[in-house]
Amino acid sequence: MKALPFIAIASVLPLQALAQDYDDYDDYGEDRAEEAAPEHQKVVREVVKGFFAKANVGTTIYLGRFAVGGATKAGTTTTIGVGGDFLDQERFSMAWEFSFNQGIHNGMPYEFQADDCGAYPCHQGDLRTYSFIGAVEASTYPSRRIGIGARVGGGLLISPLLMTEEAYQRDVVTEFGTDPGWHSGVKPVFLFGPTFEYYSKLSHFSVGIDTDVFFGINWDYGINATGYFKYTF
């Protein structure tokens, strides 16, 4: 009978030890969870959206009157721009963009154009254009790193004289008999076309292709095809 208290105490001790072990495991799990949570929050998102800077380089091809008889060759076009994503969903996004575009073209000398000013564009020969464009783009994402979309925009284009005004009036306008107005004033221009973007494993960097069909009032129409490099802040 005197051994009964000791037996009772011995039978309780394992339960207490076992209960303590369970408590330790629970506490350990909570501590590990608290330590792991900050690490989980630090995971870098693979695709970054937001404000971006963009640089394009490629070619511009005229398809209308400027292209008749090879009067204006395909040229080099460069663009710099900024923009921002204002809608960011898993499979769809939209962005705005403002850009400055420069085009350089070799052309038929005006002496040859003057032989048939009704067919040829009758401009100064070589061309340089400057455009200020605003656009909106919408894209869908068949995979995490690939975006396919379309964009539409408009802006203003100028094509300054590459010779003095006096020489232009004397040697070009007099020969043509009239000033066609290609190199005076501002021309409204509109564009639309598809776009493709690939987001690299460097989360802020992406590359892509913009292909725009454009039309300029009192100018001409054609295609811009450029590749671009983009950094999203």
Side-chain angles (χ1 to χ4, degrees), residues 181-207:
W182 305 124
H183 310 294
S184 60
V186 178
K187 315 301 194 277
V189 62
F190 304 93
L191 59 86
F192 67 93
T195 183
F196 170 85
E197 186 167 11
Y198 173 75
Y199 294 86
S200 72
K201 291 186 178 181
L202 299 174
S203 59
H204 291 268
F205 295 89
S206 60
V207 295

PDB file of all heavy atoms in Angstrom, residues 181-207:
ATOM      1  N   GLY A 181       4.646  71.153-100.049  1.00  0.00           N
ATOM      2  CA  GLY A 181       4.391  71.327 -98.617  1.00  0.00           C
ATOM      3  C   GLY A 181       4.880  70.197 -97.732  1.00  0.00           C
ATOM      4  O   GLY A 181       4.533  70.150 -96.550  1.00  0.00           O
ATOM      5  N   TRP A 182       5.698  69.299 -98.270  1.00  0.00           N
ATOM      6  CA  TRP A 182       6.185  68.203 -97.443  1.00  0.00           C
ATOM      7  C   TRP A 182       7.036  68.690 -96.269  1.00  0.00           C
ATOM      8  O   TRP A 182       7.056  68.066 -95.211  1.00  0.00           O
ATOM      9  CB  TRP A 182       7.025  67.217 -98.264  1.00  0.00           C
ATOM     10  CG  TRP A 182       6.372  66.650 -99.480  1.00  0.00           C
ATOM     11  CD1 TRP A 182       6.839  66.691-100.759  1.00  0.00           C
ATOM     12  CD2 TRP A 182       5.132  65.947 -99.542  1.00  0.00           C
ATOM     13  NE1 TRP A 182       5.982  66.060-101.615  1.00  0.00           N
ATOM     14  CE2 TRP A 182       4.912  65.597-100.895  1.00  0.00           C
ATOM     15  CE3 TRP A 182       4.169  65.590 -98.600  1.00  0.00           C
ATOM     16  CZ2 TRP A 182       3.790  64.895-101.320  1.00  0.00           C
ATOM     17  CZ3 TRP A 182       3.051  64.897 -99.028  1.00  0.00           C
ATOM     18  CH2 TRP A 182       2.861  64.555-100.356  1.00  0.00           C
ATOM     19  N   HIS A 183       7.762  69.787 -96.467  1.00  0.00           N
ATOM     20  CA  HIS A 183       8.732  70.235 -95.468  1.00  0.00           C
ATOM     21  C   HIS A 183       8.289  71.489 -94.721  1.00  0.00           C
ATOM     22  O   HIS A 183       9.108  72.198 -94.147  1.00  0.00           O
ATOM     23  CB  HIS A 183      10.085  70.474 -96.138  1.00  0.00           C
ATOM     24  CG  HIS A 183      10.532  69.317 -96.981  1.00  0.00           C
ATOM     25  ND1 HIS A 183      10.850  68.097 -96.441  1.00  0.00           N
ATOM     26  CD2 HIS A 183      10.664  69.193 -98.327  1.00  0.00           C
ATOM     27  CE1 HIS A 183      11.190  67.271 -97.412  1.00  0.00           C
ATOM     28  NE2 HIS A 183      11.075  67.904 -98.559  1.00  0.00           N
ATOM     29  N   SER A 184       7.017  71.748 -94.753  1.00  0.00           N
ATOM     30  CA  SER A 184       6.491  72.894 -94.003  1.00  0.00           C
ATOM     31  C   SER A 184       5.290  72.443 -93.182  1.00  0.00           C
ATOM     32  O   SER A 184       4.502  71.592 -93.604  1.00  0.00           O
ATOM     33  CB  SER A 184       6.072  74.015 -94.963  1.00  0.00           C
ATOM     34  OG  SER A 184       5.067  73.563 -95.854  1.00  0.00           O
ATOM     35  N   GLY A 185       5.166  72.998 -92.003  1.00  0.00           N
ATOM     36  CA  GLY A 185       4.028  72.665 -91.144  1.00  0.00           C
ATOM     37  C   GLY A 185       4.178  71.336 -90.437  1.00  0.00           C
ATOM     38  O   GLY A 185       5.154  70.606 -90.596  1.00  0.00           O
ATOM     39  N   VAL A 186       3.165  71.045 -89.623  1.00  0.00           N
ATOM     40  CA  VAL A 186       3.128  69.826 -88.808  1.00  0.00           C
ATOM     41  C   VAL A 186       2.060  68.902 -89.371  1.00  0.00           C
ATOM     42  O   VAL A 186       0.956  69.331 -89.689  1.00  0.00           O
ATOM     43  CB  VAL A 186       2.821  70.166 -87.336  1.00  0.00           C
ATOM     44  CG1 VAL A 186       2.727  68.909 -86.499  1.00  0.00           C
ATOM     45  CG2 VAL A 186       3.888  71.099 -86.777  1.00  0.00           C
ATOM     46  N   LYS A 187       2.408  67.621 -89.489  1.00  0.00           N
ATOM     47  CA  LYS A 187       1.489  66.639 -90.063  1.00  0.00           C
ATOM     48  C   LYS A 187       0.938  65.733 -88.967  1.00  0.00           C
ATOM     49  O   LYS A 187       1.707  65.077 -88.259  1.00  0.00           O
ATOM     50  CB  LYS A 187       2.207  65.771 -91.101  1.00  0.00           C
ATOM     51  CG  LYS A 187       3.107  66.495 -92.096  1.00  0.00           C
ATOM     52  CD  LYS A 187       2.367  67.512 -92.909  1.00  0.00           C
ATOM     53  CE  LYS A 187       3.181  67.973 -94.106  1.00  0.00           C
ATOM     54  NZ  LYS A 187       4.155  69.025 -93.827  1.00  0.00           N
ATOM     55  N   PRO A 188      -0.403  65.650 -88.804  1.00  0.00           N
ATOM     56  CA  PRO A 188      -0.969  64.668 -87.872  1.00  0.00           C
ATOM     57  C   PRO A 188      -0.696  63.249 -88.384  1.00  0.00           C
ATOM     58  O   PRO A 188      -0.789  62.983 -89.587  1.00  0.00           O
ATOM     59  CB  PRO A 188      -2.467  64.977 -87.889  1.00  0.00           C
ATOM     60  CG  PRO A 188      -2.562  66.377 -88.417  1.00  0.00           C
ATOM     61  CD  PRO A 188      -1.426  66.530 -89.384  1.00  0.00           C
ATOM     62  N   VAL A 189      -0.342  62.352 -87.487  1.00  0.00           N
ATOM     63  CA  VAL A 189      -0.038  60.973 -87.872  1.00  0.00           C
ATOM     64  C   VAL A 189      -0.725  60.014 -86.898  1.00  0.00           C
ATOM     65  O   VAL A 189      -0.840  60.305 -85.702  1.00  0.00           O
ATOM     66  CB  VAL A 189       1.486  60.739 -87.912  1.00  0.00           C
ATOM     67  CG1 VAL A 189       2.115  60.956 -86.545  1.00  0.00           C
ATOM     68  CG2 VAL A 189       1.821  59.360 -88.443  1.00  0.00           C
ATOM     69  N   PHE A 190      -1.206  58.898 -87.424  1.00  0.00           N
ATOM     70  CA  PHE A 190      -1.903  57.889 -86.631  1.00  0.00           C
ATOM     71  C   PHE A 190      -1.280  56.522 -86.898  1.00  0.00           C
ATOM     72  O   PHE A 190      -0.801  56.260 -88.005  1.00  0.00           O
ATOM     73  CB  PHE A 190      -3.395  57.869 -86.985  1.00  0.00           C
ATOM     74  CG  PHE A 190      -4.059  59.196 -86.828  1.00  0.00           C
ATOM     75  CD1 PHE A 190      -4.171  60.064 -87.911  1.00  0.00           C
ATOM     76  CD2 PHE A 190      -4.563  59.601 -85.602  1.00  0.00           C
ATOM     77  CE1 PHE A 190      -4.774  61.298 -87.773  1.00  0.00           C
ATOM     78  CE2 PHE A 190      -5.170  60.841 -85.453  1.00  0.00           C
ATOM     79  CZ  PHE A 190      -5.268  61.691 -86.537  1.00  0.00           C
ATOM     80  N   LEU A 191      -1.312  55.652 -85.884  1.00  0.00           N
ATOM     81  CA  LEU A 191      -0.688  54.335 -86.035  1.00  0.00           C
ATOM     82  C   LEU A 191      -1.432  53.277 -85.230  1.00  0.00           C
ATOM     83  O   LEU A 191      -2.124  53.583 -84.260  1.00  0.00           O
ATOM     84  CB  LEU A 191       0.787  54.391 -85.618  1.00  0.00           C
ATOM     85  CG  LEU A 191       1.117  54.815 -84.189  1.00  0.00           C
ATOM     86  CD1 LEU A 191       1.088  53.641 -83.215  1.00  0.00           C
ATOM     87  CD2 LEU A 191       2.481  55.476 -84.129  1.00  0.00           C
ATOM     88  N   PHE A 192      -1.280  52.041 -85.675  1.00  0.00           N
ATOM     89  CA  PHE A 192      -1.789  50.896 -84.927  1.00  0.00           C
ATOM     90  C   PHE A 192      -1.004  49.667 -85.388  1.00  0.00           C
ATOM     91  O   PHE A 192      -0.435  49.647 -86.482  1.00  0.00           O
ATOM     92  CB  PHE A 192      -3.293  50.681 -85.169  1.00  0.00           C
ATOM     93  CG  PHE A 192      -3.627  50.251 -86.575  1.00  0.00           C
ATOM     94  CD1 PHE A 192      -3.730  48.904 -86.909  1.00  0.00           C
ATOM     95  CD2 PHE A 192      -3.837  51.192 -87.572  1.00  0.00           C
ATOM     96  CE1 PHE A 192      -4.027  48.511 -88.199  1.00  0.00           C
ATOM     97  CE2 PHE A 192      -4.133  50.807 -88.879  1.00  0.00           C
ATOM     98  CZ  PHE A 192      -4.241  49.460 -89.188  1.00  0.00           C
ATOM     99  N   GLY A 193      -0.962  48.649 -84.527  1.00  0.00           N
ATOM    100  CA  GLY A 193      -0.265  47.432 -84.917  1.00  0.00           C
ATOM    101  C   GLY A 193      -0.002  46.509 -83.751  1.00  0.00           C
ATOM    102  O   GLY A 193      -0.258  46.841 -82.583  1.00  0.00           O
ATOM    103  N   PRO A 194       0.531  45.311 -84.048  1.00  0.00           N
ATOM    104  CA  PRO A 194       0.800  44.314 -83.009  1.00  0.00           C
ATOM    105  C   PRO A 194       2.110  44.572 -82.285  1.00  0.00           C
ATOM    106  O   PRO A 194       3.011  45.257 -82.795  1.00  0.00           O
ATOM    107  CB  PRO A 194       0.873  43.008 -83.812  1.00  0.00           C
ATOM    108  CG  PRO A 194       1.408  43.438 -85.149  1.00  0.00           C
ATOM    109  CD  PRO A 194       0.796  44.792 -85.407  1.00  0.00           C
ATOM    110  N   THR A 195       2.213  44.003 -81.098  1.00  0.00           N
ATOM    111  CA  THR A 195       3.434  44.112 -80.306  1.00  0.00           C
ATOM    112  C   THR A 195       3.697  42.781 -79.607  1.00  0.00           C
ATOM    113  O   THR A 195       2.767  42.046 -79.262  1.00  0.00           O
ATOM    114  CB  THR A 195       3.331  45.248 -79.275  1.00  0.00           C
ATOM    115  OG1 THR A 195       4.566  45.375 -78.565  1.00  0.00           O
ATOM    116  CG2 THR A 195       2.206  45.011 -78.294  1.00  0.00           C
ATOM    117  N   PHE A 196       4.964  42.469 -79.438  1.00  0.00           N
ATOM    118  CA  PHE A 196       5.392  41.244 -78.767  1.00  0.00           C
ATOM    119  C   PHE A 196       6.435  41.600 -77.724  1.00  0.00           C
ATOM    120  O   PHE A 196       7.309  42.435 -77.975  1.00  0.00           O
ATOM    121  CB  PHE A 196       5.993  40.260 -79.777  1.00  0.00           C
ATOM    122  CG  PHE A 196       6.667  39.071 -79.138  1.00  0.00           C
ATOM    123  CD1 PHE A 196       5.931  37.957 -78.777  1.00  0.00           C
ATOM    124  CD2 PHE A 196       8.034  39.079 -78.894  1.00  0.00           C
ATOM    125  CE1 PHE A 196       6.546  36.859 -78.183  1.00  0.00           C
ATOM    126  CE2 PHE A 196       8.655  37.990 -78.308  1.00  0.00           C
ATOM    127  CZ  PHE A 196       7.911  36.874 -77.953  1.00  0.00           C
ATOM    128  N   GLU A 197       6.339  40.981 -76.532  1.00  0.00           N
ATOM    129  CA  GLU A 197       7.284  41.293 -75.458  1.00  0.00           C
ATOM    130  C   GLU A 197       7.705  40.031 -74.734  1.00  0.00           C
ATOM    131  O   GLU A 197       6.879  39.147 -74.459  1.00  0.00           O
ATOM    132  CB  GLU A 197       6.664  42.274 -74.467  1.00  0.00           C
ATOM    133  CG  GLU A 197       7.636  42.765 -73.401  1.00  0.00           C
ATOM    134  CD  GLU A 197       7.104  43.948 -72.626  1.00  0.00           C
ATOM    135  OE1 GLU A 197       5.903  44.249 -72.766  1.00  0.00           O
ATOM    136  OE2 GLU A 197       7.875  44.577 -71.880  1.00  0.00           O
ATOM    137  N   TYR A 198       9.000  39.944 -74.444  1.00  0.00           N
ATOM    138  CA  TYR A 198       9.547  38.832 -73.656  1.00  0.00           C
ATOM    139  C   TYR A 198      10.202  39.396 -72.406  1.00  0.00           C
ATOM    140  O   TYR A 198      11.096  40.251 -72.496  1.00  0.00           O
ATOM    141  CB  TYR A 198      10.571  38.036 -74.458  1.00  0.00           C
ATOM    142  CG  TYR A 198      11.281  36.985 -73.618  1.00  0.00           C
ATOM    143  CD1 TYR A 198      10.632  35.806 -73.257  1.00  0.00           C
ATOM    144  CD2 TYR A 198      12.579  37.199 -73.158  1.00  0.00           C
ATOM    145  CE1 TYR A 198      11.264  34.856 -72.465  1.00  0.00           C
ATOM    146  CE2 TYR A 198      13.219  36.251 -72.376  1.00  0.00           C
ATOM    147  CZ  TYR A 198      12.561  35.086 -72.033  1.00  0.00           C
ATOM    148  OH  TYR A 198      13.183  34.153 -71.249  1.00  0.00           O
ATOM    149  N   TYR A 199       9.763  38.938 -71.238  1.00  0.00           N
ATOM    150  CA  TYR A 199      10.303  39.385 -69.963  1.00  0.00           C
ATOM    151  C   TYR A 199      11.459  38.461 -69.568  1.00  0.00           C
ATOM    152  O   TYR A 199      11.269  37.266 -69.361  1.00  0.00           O
ATOM    153  CB  TYR A 199       9.225  39.368 -68.882  1.00  0.00           C
ATOM    154  CG  TYR A 199       8.127  40.371 -69.119  1.00  0.00           C
ATOM    155  CD1 TYR A 199       7.032  40.048 -69.918  1.00  0.00           C
ATOM    156  CD2 TYR A 199       8.192  41.643 -68.563  1.00  0.00           C
ATOM    157  CE1 TYR A 199       6.024  40.978 -70.155  1.00  0.00           C
ATOM    158  CE2 TYR A 199       7.188  42.564 -68.789  1.00  0.00           C
ATOM    159  CZ  TYR A 199       6.110  42.229 -69.585  1.00  0.00           C
ATOM    160  OH  TYR A 199       5.118  43.148 -69.823  1.00  0.00           O
ATOM    161  N   SER A 200      12.648  39.024 -69.462  1.00  0.00           N
ATOM    162  CA  SER A 200      13.828  38.229 -69.152  1.00  0.00           C
ATOM    163  C   SER A 200      13.830  37.807 -67.685  1.00  0.00           C
ATOM    164  O   SER A 200      13.022  38.277 -66.882  1.00  0.00           O
ATOM    165  CB  SER A 200      15.102  39.019 -69.473  1.00  0.00           C
ATOM    166  OG  SER A 200      15.284  40.054 -68.518  1.00  0.00           O
ATOM    167  N   LYS A 201      14.778  36.947 -67.328  1.00  0.00           N
ATOM    168  CA  LYS A 201      14.901  36.504 -65.940  1.00  0.00           C
ATOM    169  C   LYS A 201      15.454  37.604 -65.050  1.00  0.00           C
ATOM    170  O   LYS A 201      15.393  37.492 -63.822  1.00  0.00           O
ATOM    171  CB  LYS A 201      15.778  35.256 -65.879  1.00  0.00           C
ATOM    172  CG  LYS A 201      15.103  34.045 -66.501  1.00  0.00           C
ATOM    173  CD  LYS A 201      15.927  32.784 -66.313  1.00  0.00           C
ATOM    174  CE  LYS A 201      15.205  31.583 -66.900  1.00  0.00           C
ATOM    175  NZ  LYS A 201      15.973  30.326 -66.717  1.00  0.00           N
ATOM    176  N   LEU A 202      16.007  38.656 -65.655  1.00  0.00           N
ATOM    177  CA  LEU A 202      16.327  39.864 -64.895  1.00  0.00           C
ATOM    178  C   LEU A 202      15.030  40.651 -64.801  1.00  0.00           C
ATOM    179  O   LEU A 202      14.598  41.266 -65.789  1.00  0.00           O
ATOM    180  CB  LEU A 202      17.423  40.670 -65.606  1.00  0.00           C
ATOM    181  CG  LEU A 202      18.760  39.946 -65.778  1.00  0.00           C
ATOM    182  CD1 LEU A 202      19.713  40.793 -66.617  1.00  0.00           C
ATOM    183  CD2 LEU A 202      19.381  39.645 -64.422  1.00  0.00           C
ATOM    184  N   SER A 203      14.388  40.631 -63.671  1.00  0.00           N
ATOM    185  CA  SER A 203      12.976  40.984 -63.550  1.00  0.00           C
ATOM    186  C   SER A 203      12.609  42.366 -64.082  1.00  0.00           C
ATOM    187  O   SER A 203      11.484  42.584 -64.490  1.00  0.00           O
ATOM    188  CB  SER A 203      12.532  40.870 -62.085  1.00  0.00           C
ATOM    189  OG  SER A 203      13.297  41.729 -61.258  1.00  0.00           O
ATOM    190  N   HIS A 204      13.531  43.316 -64.099  1.00  0.00           N
ATOM    191  CA  HIS A 204      13.191  44.666 -64.549  1.00  0.00           C
ATOM    192  C   HIS A 204      13.385  44.864 -66.059  1.00  0.00           C
ATOM    193  O   HIS A 204      13.026  45.916 -66.586  1.00  0.00           O
ATOM    194  CB  HIS A 204      14.034  45.700 -63.795  1.00  0.00           C
ATOM    195  CG  HIS A 204      13.675  45.818 -62.339  1.00  0.00           C
ATOM    196  ND1 HIS A 204      12.752  46.726 -61.875  1.00  0.00           N
ATOM    197  CD2 HIS A 204      14.099  45.127 -61.249  1.00  0.00           C
ATOM    198  CE1 HIS A 204      12.638  46.602 -60.559  1.00  0.00           C
ATOM    199  NE2 HIS A 204      13.451  45.638 -60.159  1.00  0.00           N
ATOM    200  N   PHE A 205      13.970  43.897 -66.738  1.00  0.00           N
ATOM    201  CA  PHE A 205      14.326  44.059 -68.139  1.00  0.00           C
ATOM    202  C   PHE A 205      13.448  43.194 -69.039  1.00  0.00           C
ATOM    203  O   PHE A 205      13.148  42.049 -68.719  1.00  0.00           O
ATOM    204  CB  PHE A 205      15.793  43.672 -68.367  1.00  0.00           C
ATOM    205  CG  PHE A 205      16.775  44.562 -67.664  1.00  0.00           C
ATOM    206  CD1 PHE A 205      17.183  44.272 -66.369  1.00  0.00           C
ATOM    207  CD2 PHE A 205      17.285  45.684 -68.287  1.00  0.00           C
ATOM    208  CE1 PHE A 205      18.093  45.082 -65.713  1.00  0.00           C
ATOM    209  CE2 PHE A 205      18.194  46.506 -67.638  1.00  0.00           C
ATOM    210  CZ  PHE A 205      18.601  46.202 -66.348  1.00  0.00           C
ATOM    211  N   SER A 206      13.069  43.762 -70.190  1.00  0.00           N
ATOM    212  CA  SER A 206      12.342  42.996 -71.197  1.00  0.00           C
ATOM    213  C   SER A 206      12.733  43.490 -72.585  1.00  0.00           C
ATOM    214  O   SER A 206      13.245  44.602 -72.744  1.00  0.00           O
ATOM    215  CB  SER A 206      10.822  43.125 -71.003  1.00  0.00           C
ATOM    216  OG  SER A 206      10.414  44.471 -71.109  1.00  0.00           O
ATOM    217  N   VAL A 207      12.510  42.653 -73.581  1.00  0.00           N
ATOM    218  CA  VAL A 207      12.781  42.994 -74.974  1.00  0.00           C
ATOM    219  C   VAL A 207      11.536  42.658 -75.778  1.00  0.00           C
ATOM    220  O   VAL A 207      10.690  41.861 -75.350  1.00  0.00           O
ATOM    221  CB  VAL A 207      14.000  42.238 -75.527  1.00  0.00           C
ATOM    222  CG1 VAL A 207      15.276  42.655 -74.811  1.00  0.00           C
ATOM    223  CG2 VAL A 207      13.802  40.729 -75.415  1.00  0.00           C
TER     224      VAL A 207
END
